[in-house]
């Protein structure tokens, strides 16, 4: 993801900038009435790239038991499967921006910060429980949803 050491101030600044930009770019496009199907597809591709990079570069650095890392990786996999299910069901390659997907993305985004600030595993277990529920819900709605 970044050629910057995990947990350092530069990492936190760049990571926060990327995450916040991803959250607000769609809102800006809606406010300016400049949203497009191409933009939605690029946003979904960007989200998938971020998830893959997160799984490859951030997850291994988190100081959790291996089973926690694997469960978080499973959440990311479920999110990717929801995109695939949406494509199969609707022939439309876009990650639906449901409340469940937004909660999942936000919690996964915040997890490295929580890991740096708190020593306990409570934040991970809470995030995992919520993310699993949200990711499964999003995958089901993508499989049976409408455009």
């Amino acid at each position: 993801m970044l050629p910057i050491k995990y947990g350092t101030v530069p990492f936190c600044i760049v990571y926060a900038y990327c995450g916040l930009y991803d959250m607000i770019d769609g809102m800006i496009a809606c406010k300016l009435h400049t949203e497009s199907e191409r933009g939605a597809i690029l946003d979904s591709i960007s989200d998938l790239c971020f998830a893959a990079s997160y799984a490859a570069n951030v997850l291994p650095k988190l100081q959790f038991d291996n089973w926690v890392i694997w469960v978080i990786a499973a959440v990311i996999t479920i999110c990717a499967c929801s995109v695939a299910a949406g494509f199969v069901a609707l022939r439309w390659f876009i990650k639906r921006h449901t409340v469940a997907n937004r909660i999942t993305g936000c919690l996964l985004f915040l997890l490295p910060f929580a890991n740096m600030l708190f020593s306990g595993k409570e934040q991970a277990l809470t995030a995992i429980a919520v993310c699993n529920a949200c990711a499964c819900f999003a995958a089901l709605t993508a499989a049976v949803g409408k455009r």
Side-chain angles (χ1 to χ4, degrees):
M1 179 162 83
L2 301 169
I4 303 170
K5 186 176 181 201
Y6 173 81
T8 63
V9 172
F11 171 86
C12 292
I13 291 170
V14 173
Y15 181 80
Y17 173 80
C18 292
L20 292 173
Y21 179 80
D22 182 51
M23 287 183 224
I24 65 169
D25 67 336
M27 289 188 282
I28 292 171
C30 287
K31 292 253 186 226
L32 298 176
H33 304 292
T34 58
E35 65 268 80
S36 67
E37 186 171 332
R38 179 183 291 184
I41 291 170
L42 289 174
D43 185 61
S44 293
I45 292 170
S46 171
D47 290 345
L48 287 174
C49 290
F50 180 79
S53 182
Y54 184 94
N57 297 300
V58 175
L59 283 183
K61 308 287 190 296
L62 297 177
Q63 298 172 1
F64 296 128
D65 294 336
N66 282 341
W67 71 270
V68 174
I69 301 299
W70 282 107
V71 173
I72 295 170
V75 170
I76 292 170
T77 302
I78 291 168
C79 291
C81 289
S82 74
V83 173
F87 180 76
V88 169
L90 305 171
R91 298 286 183 240
W92 202 40
F93 182 74
I94 293 181
K95 184 174 125 285
R96 300 180 67 189
H97 288 85
T98 62
V99 171
N101 274 335
R102 289 172 194 235
I103 291 170
T104 301
C106 186
L107 287 174
L108 287 175
F109 171 73
L110 292 174
L111 196 55
F113 295 116
N115 183 248
M116 287 181 246
L117 295 173
F118 306 107
S119 60
K121 296 178 183 172
E122 297 81 18
Q123 75 275 7
L125 298 177
T126 302
I128 288 168
V130 173
C131 287
N132 271 323
C134 289
C136 289
F137 176 75
L140 287 172
T141 58
V144 299
K146 294 180 181 172
R147 198 189 291 201

